[in-house]
Amino acid sequence: MPKVLRGSLALDYKDQNGFKYTIEGIYTKTIKDVVFKQVNLTDNPTYFAYDTAATQRKQPIFPGQNSRNPQFANVYEMSNTSQGYRYSITGQVAKNFDNGFGFSAAYTYGESKDVSNGIRNSFESNWQLNQALNPNDPQLANSNFDIRNRIVVSANYRKAWNKLWVRNFSLFVTAQSGSPFTYGFVNYTPQNTPQQIGLAYIPAKGETVNFFAATPTQTAQQQADAFDQFIDGNKYLSSRRGGFTERNAARTP
């Protein structure tokens, strides 16, 4: 069963003008979390040309599915990992005024890392949909629940007309970083496994043309130029030149 160690610390301070200041930190360390493997794969991989250097060899290409025992389609193993953590730090200021007006404003910075979020309903889907260069050895990456930056502001006004009639007006505003997502392949994986999602290699400058072939309407160079233009226009993808994309490293607006 999953197990975590969690600690928190909070400090409150109220000044002479009635403003209340709060700072709180929460840290959670993974003790036991789930991780999944497909054990019906022969662990004798090869590598694509761009991944053969000793410093690379990050995305293994397995000999094939069901290669250890063809009598079974897929065989999955669930075990535990101690990798993973999450933390958040929140600062808040608040005050209620004598005229019935009150407000609070808070900012949170948080980070969450795991190797497998374990949120799906079967061993197979947890393994197939966990984006990793080596699906049987997933590395620590951003969690689906990584919040990063969040701002929450609220304001309220209370007006008592008499003992029976009281009105409350409230305004609530929140803004936060976009949701994390992954650049890669869907319903295809370079690793020759039953995975449904695969991470992508982003060609270094000058080698993009090697990944394209001429078509009746465009040369390989024209396709490479269009691809490079797209990569260079994306802050995250351009930072991955000569390397692979990462799970949940990109964010929606």
Side-chain angles (χ1 to χ4, degrees), residues 127-244:
W127 184 84
Q128 287 183 339
L129 298 173
N130 192 35
Q131 309 96 319
L133 291 173
N134 184 345
N136 277 350
D137 186 24
Q139 300 300 302
L140 204 62
N142 291 339
S143 163
N144 288 14
F145 311 104
D146 187 274
I147 62 170
R148 287 306 156 96
N149 301 283
R150 176 181 292 164
I151 298 173
V152 178
V153 178
S154 65
N156 61 83
Y157 178 72
R158 184 178 186 275
K159 175 67 175 179
W161 301 99
N162 53 49
K163 293 182 178 181
L164 296 177
W165 294 95
V166 177
R167 289 188 177 183
N168 287 286
F169 302 91
S170 298
L171 176 66
F172 179 84
V173 178
T174 181
Q176 67 181 57
S177 300
S179 300
F181 73 93
T182 305
Y183 281 102
F185 303 103
V186 178
N187 295 325
Y188 166 78
T189 171
Q191 294 104 316
N192 196 26
T193 69
Q195 270 199 307
Q196 295 182 5
I197 299 176
L199 300 177
Y201 176 77
I202 306 301
K205 286 283 190 178
E207 68 172 355
T208 307
V209 69
N210 299 330
F211 292 81
F212 291 90
T215 69
T217 58
Q218 284 189 316
T219 66
Q221 188 62 57
Q222 287 174 323
Q223 296 174 71
D225 291 343
F227 182 84
D228 282 337
Q229 184 178 10
F230 171 75
I231 296 298
D232 291 340
N234 184 290
K235 182 179 179 180
Y236 171 71
L237 291 177
S238 60
S239 73
R240 303 307 300 166
R241 287 278 194 183
F244 294 89

Side-chain angles (χ1 to χ4, degrees), residues 85-127:
Y85 64 88
R86 57 186 177 271
Y87 69 86
S88 64
I89 301 173
T90 300
Q92 183 182 44
V93 59
K95 182 179 180 179
N96 290 317
F97 295 87
D98 294 336
N99 61 3
F101 175 76
F103 83 96
S104 71
Y107 169 75
T108 297
Y109 180 85
E111 189 175 88
S112 179
K113 302 280 188 178
D114 61 23
V115 296
S116 176
N117 55 54
I119 61 174
R120 296 175 176 87
N121 60 5
S122 70
F123 286 18
E124 183 172 58
S125 59
N126 274 291
W127 184 84

